């Protein structure tokens, strides 16, 4: 986007859609100046998952601290900024509202423009922090709340070509982890266990209709539960490593195959992965190998930019800022917000 | 000395600017508008109408709860972010004391009530004879439990707050002619009242703003259950 930026742009990003309170300053939409994340994961572990009310309470405790730290690490003052970008949705509404109201108050007090950013647009734009995005582009977005294939013909243009019809991939990981009595958050543990095993229980692959880019993971989750019940009833010992590998193999094969088919059909120049589950080593390896063979450039951000962070919100916010997008002081949290193009 | 006051701890919205002990602009509304939609635009209007700039404010007062969890958090988040970025002190005032202060000219005991659903209330009782001293501590009570405490005082009690009407029959049944209903003009929180209460307190250090949190007066349900489980083991 260098050609239409005349001067350096510094955007403050704020993110609080789930259990991370985060603030970051990004220069020109592509360079991280500071990136601060206060994770609540330790607090939620005792409940076996994120409790929305607890998350909201922690966000209020952390929000001014993380913004202050983001400014301090960047050695910048509010007047050095060009705008404030904040996650508007989707997410936990009570959690979103803390980041949004802090962003509004900060923008108002310092006379800065305010930009509401879609959380998934943020995950996709985490890639802009690593290398320029080349269009047409295909994004596989996989996280605890999302499993989507998004086609982009240019910056700010999003076409949803496939999504999960039931559980998100990350949700399936957490549920299977619970079945295997693995502590929350289970995704990284399953990934590690799958790597430690050479043998896999054979679980089904859910392809849906032949031409569909949609996903379904609830049947796979049920298959894991049934396998464990059957084994227990017959007195056969369940090897959790074999179950983890079998489950991960199924998820990774379906995600990779559908992404490859879409990349071919839409003739894209770049494929990117985004979201918390794109930190999964098995998935990264499979996508890297597949697209290396195919000759299509594939990128996935480093781990700390796959999980929720504010640098990705600032990055997406910068491109929205350049496109003239602004929000006002009446911005509300939008838990079910849809990903809408900002370039018509 | 210029104060900004914000209270969104329950469904009403109250904001005001007070300069040297005079109200410059004040807004109150009880229209059930989501505070995330209503609060910042109301603050923006205050500054527009008074032709003031945010940096001219010397201190900020906020209703710290109890009340609606989300409502309290919106007011506190706005107030603490403004206070932090403008480097001004932030003073929190109980949303129950705030309502009681509306009836401070009444001679005796005032009880402010906020609906906490399922026949529970957030309530506090204050005696006005020596300033506003607490006689029933701010807290989360069953309506029944609260009324027993008030009955034991064996004095007339004035009830204030826009949720009082929901419980008025039960209050009358328990307290009889000791139950006094405040006029409706005193039922909504006032941000100038909030500033008046805050200005009587010593101003905290501006560094304290980061640790400022709402006074929920109640554990989150999941946390309460978790503690119960731990005790059971």
């Amino acid at each position: 986007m260098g050609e239409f930026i005349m001067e350096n742009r510094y955007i403050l990003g704020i993110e609080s859609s789930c259990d991370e309170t985060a603030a970051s300053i990004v220069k020109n939409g592509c360079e991280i100046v500071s990136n601060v994340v206060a994770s609540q994961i330790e607090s939620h572990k005792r409940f076996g998952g994120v409790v929305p009310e607890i998350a909201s309470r922690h966000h209020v405790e952390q929000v001014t601290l993380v913004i202050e730290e983001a400014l301090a690490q960047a050695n910048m003052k509010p007047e050095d900024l060009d705008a404030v970008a904040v996650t508007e949705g989707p997410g936990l509404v009570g959690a979103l509202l803390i980041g949004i109201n802090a962003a509004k108050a900060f923008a108002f007090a310092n006379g800065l423009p305010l930009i509401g950013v879609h959380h998934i647009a943020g995950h996709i734009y985490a890639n802009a922090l690593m290398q320029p995005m080349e269009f047409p582009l295909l994004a596989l977005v996989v996280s605890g709340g999302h499993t989507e294939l998004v086609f982009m013909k240019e910056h700010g243009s999003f076409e949803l070509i496939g999504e999960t019809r039931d559980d998100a991939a990350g949700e399936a990981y957490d549920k299977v982890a619970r079945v295997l009595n693995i502590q929350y958050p289970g995704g990284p543990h399953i990934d590690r266990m799958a790597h430690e095993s050479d043998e896999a229980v054979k679980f089904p692959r859910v392809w849906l209709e032949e031409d569909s880019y949609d996903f379904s993971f609830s049947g796979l989750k049920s298959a894991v539960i049934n396998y464990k019940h059957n084994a227990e009833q017959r007195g056969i010992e369940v090897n959790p490593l074999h179950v983890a590998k079998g489950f991960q193999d199924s998820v990774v094969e379906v995600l990779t195959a559908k992404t490859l088919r879409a990349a071919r059909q839409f003739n894209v120049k770049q494929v990117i992965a985004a979201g918390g589950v794109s930190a999964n080593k098995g998935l990264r390896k499979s996508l890297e190998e597949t697209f290396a063979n195919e000759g299509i450039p594939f990128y996935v951000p480093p781990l700390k930019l796959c999980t929720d962070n504010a640098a990705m919100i600032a990055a997406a916010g910068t491109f929205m800022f350049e496109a003239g997008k602004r929000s006002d002081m009446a911005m509300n949290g939008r838990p079910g917000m849809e990903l809408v193009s900002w370039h018509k | 000395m210029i104060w900004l006051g914000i209270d969104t701890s329950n469904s009403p919205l109250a904001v005001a600017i007070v300069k040297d002990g005079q109200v410059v602009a004040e807004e109150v509304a009880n229209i059930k508008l989501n505070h995330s939609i209503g609060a910042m635009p109301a603050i923006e209007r205050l500054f527009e109408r008074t032709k003031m700039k945010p940096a001219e404010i010397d201190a900020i007062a906020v209703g710290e709860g109890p009340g609606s969890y989300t409502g309290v958090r919106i007011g506190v988040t706005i107030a603490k972010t403004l206070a932090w970025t403008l480097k001004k002190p932030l003073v929190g005032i109980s949303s129950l004391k705030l309502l009681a202060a509306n009836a401070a000219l009444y001679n005796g005991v005032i009880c402010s009530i906020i609906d906490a659903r399922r026949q529970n209330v957030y309530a506090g009782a204050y005696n006005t004879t020596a300033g506003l001293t607490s006689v029933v501590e701010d807290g989360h009570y069953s309506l029944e439990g609260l009324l027993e405490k008030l009955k034991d005082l064996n004095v007339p009690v004035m009830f204030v707050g826009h949720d009082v009407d929901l419980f008025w029959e039960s209050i009358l049944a328990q307290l009889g002619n000791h139950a006094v209903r405040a006029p409706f003009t005193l039922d909504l929180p006032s941000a100038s009242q909030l500033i008046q209460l805050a200005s009587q307190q010593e101003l905290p250090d501006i560094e304290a703003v980061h640790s400022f949190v709402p006074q929920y007066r109640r554990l989150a349900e999941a946390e309460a259950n978790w503690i119960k489980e731990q005790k059971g083991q």
Side-chain angles (χ1 to χ4, degrees), chain A residues 172-302:
Chain A
Y173 268 91
D174 285 339
K175 286 177 178 171
V176 166
R178 223 168 290 160
V179 173
L180 297 177
N181 298 318
I182 298 165
Q183 200 188 24
Y184 173 86
H189 292 295
I190 301 238
D191 187 20
R192 179 181 47 73
M193 288 161 68
H195 276 270
E196 286 171 8
S197 177
D198 293 325
E199 271 183 66
V201 178
K202 185 71 184 165
F203 290 119
R205 274 72 175 141
V206 181
W207 299 108
L208 303 171
E209 303 81 34
E210 202 181 327
D211 58 346
S212 174
Y213 290 116
D214 282 351
F215 302 97
S216 167
F217 295 108
S218 73
L220 173 60
K221 172 197 68 192
S222 303
V224 174
I225 294 170
N226 290 342
Y227 170 82
K228 191 174 175 230
H229 283 176
N230 284 341
E232 279 168 357
Q233 273 177 358
R234 282 191 259 141
I236 303 167
E237 202 180 323
V238 173
N239 185 327
L241 297 181
H242 298 176
V243 175
K245 182 161 169 58
F247 167 76
Q248 172 139 317
D249 284 352
S250 172
V251 172
V252 167
E253 187 180 328
V254 173
L255 288 174
T256 304
K258 294 213 177 204
T259 307
L260 176 61
R261 188 158 56 81
R264 284 175 177 161
Q265 189 193 323
F266 289 86
N267 203 13
V268 299
K269 287 201 180 130
Q270 197 178 75
V271 175
I272 60 177
V277 180
S278 63
N280 182 292
K281 290 193 195 69
L283 179 62
R284 290 168 88 100
K285 184 162 173 277
S286 167
L287 290 168
E288 275 160 11
E289 287 174 2
T290 300
F291 287 103
N293 287 337
E294 187 70 12
I296 301 175
F298 167 77
Y299 299 101
V300 57

Side-chain angles (χ1 to χ4, degrees), chain B residues 7 20 26 38 55 58 63 76 82-83 89 103-104 114 132 142 150 161-162 170 178 180 184 189 204-205 214 218:
Chain B
D7 180 61
D20 300 331
E26 176 153 24
D58 297 299
V76 166
L82 289 174
I114 294 164
L132 279 174
S142 69
L150 295 173
H162 73 290
S170 309
H178 272 172
V180 184
F184 75 87
D205 193 87
R218 213 183 164 202

Side-chain angles (χ1 to χ4, degrees), chain A:
Chain A
M1 68 189 268
E3 65 273 21
F4 52 104
I5 288 185
M6 293 305 165
E7 54 189 309
N8 286 334
R9 294 269 190 244
Y10 292 95
I11 308 283
L12 169 69
I14 298 173
E15 149 70 31
S16 69
S17 65
C18 189
D19 61 343
E20 325 270 7
T21 324
S24 166
I25 295 168
V26 165
K27 179 182 174 183
N28 295 339
C30 61
E31 188 184 321
I32 296 175
V33 186
S34 66
N35 189 18
V36 180
V37 181
S39 174
Q40 308 173 1
I41 211 159
E42 288 303 320
S43 175
H44 293 284
K45 264 185 185 166
R46 63 193 152 140
F47 307 116
V50 176
V51 178
E53 174 60 23
I54 305 278
S56 303
R57 290 185 179 198
H58 286 312
H59 286 308
V60 183
E61 294 161 10
Q62 294 294 330
V63 70
T64 55
L65 284 168
V66 299
I67 303 171
E68 180 170 86
E69 184 62 19
L71 285 163
Q73 282 184 13
N75 197 19
M76 290 176 81
K77 294 190 172 62
E79 54 264 37
D80 301 324
L81 299 169
D82 292 284
V84 182
V86 64
T87 308
E88 186 175 1
L92 303 170
V93 67
L96 288 165
L97 286 173
I98 306 308
I100 289 171
N101 282 284
K104 288 200 280 191
F106 183 85
F108 173 71
N110 295 294
L112 293 168
L114 177 71
I115 302 157
V117 176
H118 192 282
H119 185 75
I120 294 306
H123 275 301
I124 291 171
Y125 273 85
N127 283 278
L129 296 164
M130 303 312 298
Q131 71 284 320
M133 290 160 76
E134 301 271 353
F135 302 97
L137 174 152
L138 180 70
L140 171 67
V141 181
V142 271
S143 71
H146 301 268
T147 309
E148 284 153 21
L149 277 168
V150 179
F151 174 69
M152 294 179 71
K153 65 176 188 298
E154 60 185 320
H155 274 301
S157 160
F158 305 99
E159 191 187 329
L160 190 64
I161 59 170
E163 64 187 321
T164 183
R165 294 185 186 170
D166 39 60
D167 293 347
E171 203 178 347
Y173 268 91
D174 285 339
K175 286 177 178 171
V176 166
R178 223 168 290 160
V179 173
L180 297 177
N181 298 318
I182 298 165
Q183 200 188 24
Y184 173 86
H189 292 295
I190 301 238
D191 187 20
R192 179 181 47 73
M193 288 161 68
H195 276 270
E196 286 171 8
S197 177
D198 293 325
E199 271 183 66
V201 178
K202 185 71 184 165
F203 290 119
R205 274 72 175 141
V206 181
W207 299 108
L208 303 171
E209 303 81 34
E210 202 181 327
D211 58 346
S212 174
Y213 290 116
D214 282 351
F215 302 97
S216 167
F217 295 108
S218 73
L220 173 60
K221 172 197 68 192
S222 303
V224 174
I225 294 170
N226 290 342
Y227 170 82
K228 191 174 175 230
H229 283 176
N230 284 341
E232 279 168 357
Q233 273 177 358
R234 282 191 259 141
I236 303 167
E237 202 180 323
V238 173
N239 185 327
L241 297 181
H242 298 176
V243 175
K245 182 161 169 58
F247 167 76
Q248 172 139 317
D249 284 352
S250 172
V251 172
V252 167
E253 187 180 328
V254 173
L255 288 174
T256 304
K258 294 213 177 204
T259 307
L260 176 61
R261 188 158 56 81
R264 284 175 177 161
Q265 189 193 323
F266 289 86
N267 203 13
V268 299
K269 287 201 180 130
Q270 197 178 75
V271 175
I272 60 177
V277 180
S278 63
N280 182 292
K281 290 193 195 69
L283 179 62
R284 290 168 88 100
K285 184 162 173 277
S286 167
L287 290 168
E288 275 160 11
E289 287 174 2
T290 300
F291 287 103
N293 287 337
E294 187 70 12
I296 301 175
F298 167 77
Y299 299 101
V300 57
L303 299 190
K304 68 172 184 174
L305 294 180
C306 289
T307 49
D308 288 352
N309 65 87
M312 67 186 201
I313 300 303
T318 308
F319 286 84
M320 294 178 76
F321 180 83
E322 297 300 339
K325 292 289 157 187
R326 302 290 184 272
S327 302
D328 64 21
M329 287 294 141
M331 188 202 290
N332 198 2
R334 295 169 63 192
M337 186 179 184
E338 284 188 30
L339 182 57
V340 176
S341 300
W342 64 71
H343 266 179
K344 288 284 176 274

Side-chain angles (χ1 to χ4, degrees), chain B residues 35-46:
Chain B
H35 289 312
S36 190
I37 297 172
M40 277 309 300
I43 292 167
E44 205 173 26
R45 273 196 297 282
L46 278 186

